[in-house]
C-alpha cells in the first residue's frame, strides 16, 4: 500500500501538521522534531505527492525556467543545475523555451503563470533583461531570479560570472603569446554579456597600449553559423588577425572550420579561443582554449535563491570562471 503522511506522523510521533511543515521546509521546527520526521520519511521511503503538498499550503512546489538561447549545451546545463537543486526540496522544474522576439511573449509567460501557479521563475539571458517581462512579473507579484543580468541588477536576486574580467583574462592570454592583431567576435547585442565581454577585450588591449581596431570586431549570434561568417570576414582582410577570440565556443567552432577550409594551421598560423567550455570545446580539433563558464553551478545557485524563504533579502551570487588553455592557442608566428 502507498505510504501516506499519516504513516510518517505515526512513526515519528508528531502531528500531521508538523510533518507537513518539515516536508515543506518551513521555519520554526525544532531540530529534534525535524530529525524524527526525516528519519521516519527515510524508514518508510515516503515520497510526498506534489499535488497533496500544494493543497496543504499556498505553494505549487513548481518553478519554471524561461530560456531563449541558441546553445543546446547552455540550455542542458541550465536545466541540469536547476533540477539538482529542486530535487533536494521535492520541487518540480518546468523548462519553457520562448522566443524573445515573439509578439506573444508576455501573454505566453502570463499564461504559464496562471496555468501552473508556479512559485517563481528563473530568467536566463536575454529575457533576464527584458523590461516588459520584468515589469509584468513585478506587477503580478511573481518571484523571479535572474541569470547574468546587465541592468537594474538590484531588482531581484541573481547569479552571474564576471564576464568583463573573463574576457580580459582571455585577451591577456593571447597578448602574452605575442599576438597584437586579435580579432573579436561579439555576441548578439540583445545579450548584456555581449557588451561585457567586448569591454573586457577592449580593456585588455588598452592595458597593453593597444587601441581597439573596429575592423577586427565582428558581431555574431552565439551560434556556429555566425562564427563562421565572422571568421570569413576577418580572414579576408588585407592584414588578417593572428588570433581570433569568439564570445562562445559554438562561434569558435565556426572559426576553426573556416580556418581548416582555408588551409590555415591552428595554432601555427591562427590561434582560436572561445568562451563557455561547452562539451564541443574538447571534441573539436584542435581542442579549444576557452573560458569555463560554470553554467550548471549558476543554475543551481539561481534555484537555491528562488527556493529561499520569500522574505530572504535580494542577493547577487558571483560564480568563479576559469581560463582553460588547450591546443588551439599558441605563440604568434614569426616573420
Amino acid at each position: 500500500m502507498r505510504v501516506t503522511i499519516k504513516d510518517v506522523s505515526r512513526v515519528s510521533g508528531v502531528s500531521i501538521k508538523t510533518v507537513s511543515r518539515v516536508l515543506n521546509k518551513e521555519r520554526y521546527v525544532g531540530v529534534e522534531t525535524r530529525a524524527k520526521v526525516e528519519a521516519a520519511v527515510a524508514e518508510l521511503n515516503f515520497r510526498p505527492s506534489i499535488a497533496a503538498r500544494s493543497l496543504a499550503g499556498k505553494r505549487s512546489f513548481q518553478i519554471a525556467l524561461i530560456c531563449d538561447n541558441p546553445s543546446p549545451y547552455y540550455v542542458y546545463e541550465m536545466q541540469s543545475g536547476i533540477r539538482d537543486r529542486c530535487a533536494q526540496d521535492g520541487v518540480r522544474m518546468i523548462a519553457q523555451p520562448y522566443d524573445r522576439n515573439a509578439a506573444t511573449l508576455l501573454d505566453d509567460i502570463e499564461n504559464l503563470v496562471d496555468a501552473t501557479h508556479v512559485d517563481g521563475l528563473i530568467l536566463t539571458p536575454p529575457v533576464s533583461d527584458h523590461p516588459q517581462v520584468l515589469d509584468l512579473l513585478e506587477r503580478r507579484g511573481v518571484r523571479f531570479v535572474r541569470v547574468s543580468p546587465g541592468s537594474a541588477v538590484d531588482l531581484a536576486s541573481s547569479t552571474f560570472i564576471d564576464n568583463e574580467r573573463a574576457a580580459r583574462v582571455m585577451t591577456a592570454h593571447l597578448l602574452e603569446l605575442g599576438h597584437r592583431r586579435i580579432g573579436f567576435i561579439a555576441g548578439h547585442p540583445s545579450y548584456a554579456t555581449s557588451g561585457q565581454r567586448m569591454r573586457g577585450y577592449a580593456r585588455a588591449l588598452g592595458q597593453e597600449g593597444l587601441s581597439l581596431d573596429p575592423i577586427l570586431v565582428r558581431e555574431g549570434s552565439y551560434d556556429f553559423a555566425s562564427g563562421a561568417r565572422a571568421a570569413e570576414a576577418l580572414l579576408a582582410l588585407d592584414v588578417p588577425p593572428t588570433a581570433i577570440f569568439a564570445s562562445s565556443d559554438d562561434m569558435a567552432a565556426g572559426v576553426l572550420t573556416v580556418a581548416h577550409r582555408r588551409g590555415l594551421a591552428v595554432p601555427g598560423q591562427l590561434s582560436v579561443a572561445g568562451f563557455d567550455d561547452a562539451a564541443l570545446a574538447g571534441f573539436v580539433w584542435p581542442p579549444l582554449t576557452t573560458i569555463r563558464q560554470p553554467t550548471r553551478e549558476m543554475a543551481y545557485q539561481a534555484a537555491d535563491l528562488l527556493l529561499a524563504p520569500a522574505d530572504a533579502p535580494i542577493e547577487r551570487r558571483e560564480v568563479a570562471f576559469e581560463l582553460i588553455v588547450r591546443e588551439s592557442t599558441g605563440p604568434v608566428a614569426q616573420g
Side-chain angles (χ1 to χ4, degrees), residues 11-142:
V11 172
S12 63
V14 303
S15 69
I16 292 176
K17 183 176 181 180
T18 299
V19 173
S20 177
R21 290 176 64 192
V22 173
L23 294 176
N24 292 338
K25 308 290 184 181
E26 294 181 14
R27 296 177 175 180
Y28 313 120
V29 177
V31 175
E32 185 177 343
T33 300
R34 189 180 297 275
K36 287 181 181 179
V37 173
E38 290 174 346
V41 168
E43 177 185 339
L44 298 170
N45 194 27
F46 175 63
R47 295 291 182 268
S49 161
I50 288 181
R53 292 168 72 193
S54 300
L55 289 172
K58 296 180 180 179
R59 297 177 59 191
S60 69
F61 297 94
Q62 299 181 111
I63 64 173
L65 166 65
I66 304 299
C67 52
D68 177 7
N69 192 288
S71 170
Y73 171 83
Y74 180 90
V75 174
Y76 172 77
E77 289 292 288
M78 189 62 57
Q79 291 177 356
S80 298
I82 294 170
R83 278 199 303 266
D84 288 346
R85 178 60 185 86
C86 285
Q88 297 176 21
D89 284 11
V91 173
R92 178 184 293 130
M93 179 199 71
I94 301 171
Q96 193 68 46
Y98 284 108
D99 179 359
R100 64 186 179 278
N101 297 316
T104 60
L105 175 63
L106 297 181
D107 288 339
D108 291 341
I109 291 177
E110 192 158 25
N111 289 337
L112 170 70
V113 170
D114 289 336
T116 63
H117 303 288
V118 288
D119 296 324
L121 304 176
I122 294 175
L123 309 177
T124 63
V127 181
S128 54
D129 279 312
H130 196 296
Q132 287 80 21
V133 171
L134 300 178
D135 180 65
L136 167 67
L137 298 179
E138 284 218 295
R139 283 190 291 102
R140 291 290 306 269
V142 179

Side-chain angles (χ1 to χ4, degrees), residues 122-267:
I122 294 175
L123 309 177
T124 63
V127 181
S128 54
D129 279 312
H130 196 296
Q132 287 80 21
V133 171
L134 300 178
D135 180 65
L136 167 67
L137 298 179
E138 284 218 295
R139 283 190 291 102
R140 291 290 306 269
V142 179
R143 293 186 68 191
F144 60 91
V145 169
R146 304 160 73 194
V147 177
S148 300
S151 62
V153 294
D154 295 325
L155 180 65
S157 292
S158 61
T159 61
F160 65 100
I161 68 166
D162 189 336
N163 280 280
E164 182 175 326
R165 181 168 173 267
R168 195 164 72 242
V169 167
M170 178 59 81
T171 307
H173 165 69
L174 297 172
L175 289 165
E176 288 169 2
L177 291 172
H179 297 279
R180 291 298 179 269
R181 195 163 175 80
I182 302 172
F184 183 75
I185 306 177
H188 194 278
S190 65
Y191 290 75
T193 54
S194 300
Q196 293 164 358
R197 294 172 191 177
M198 178 75 180
R199 288 193 294 274
Y201 160 76
R203 180 166 294 184
L205 293 177
Q207 289 173 341
E208 286 295 310
L210 301 173
S211 58
L212 187 150
D213 185 350
I215 200 171
L216 292 177
V217 177
R218 291 292 186 276
E219 182 182 302
S221 298
Y222 285 126
D223 60 359
F224 178 94
S226 66
R229 287 193 300 271
E232 290 283 10
L234 289 169
L235 295 175
L237 294 172
D238 291 338
V239 184
T242 61
I244 296 178
F245 173 20
S247 293
S248 77
D249 290 342
D250 287 330
M251 293 196 297
V255 175
L256 284 175
T257 296
V258 172
H260 295 328
R261 188 164 60 237
R262 285 173 167 264
L264 295 174
V266 178

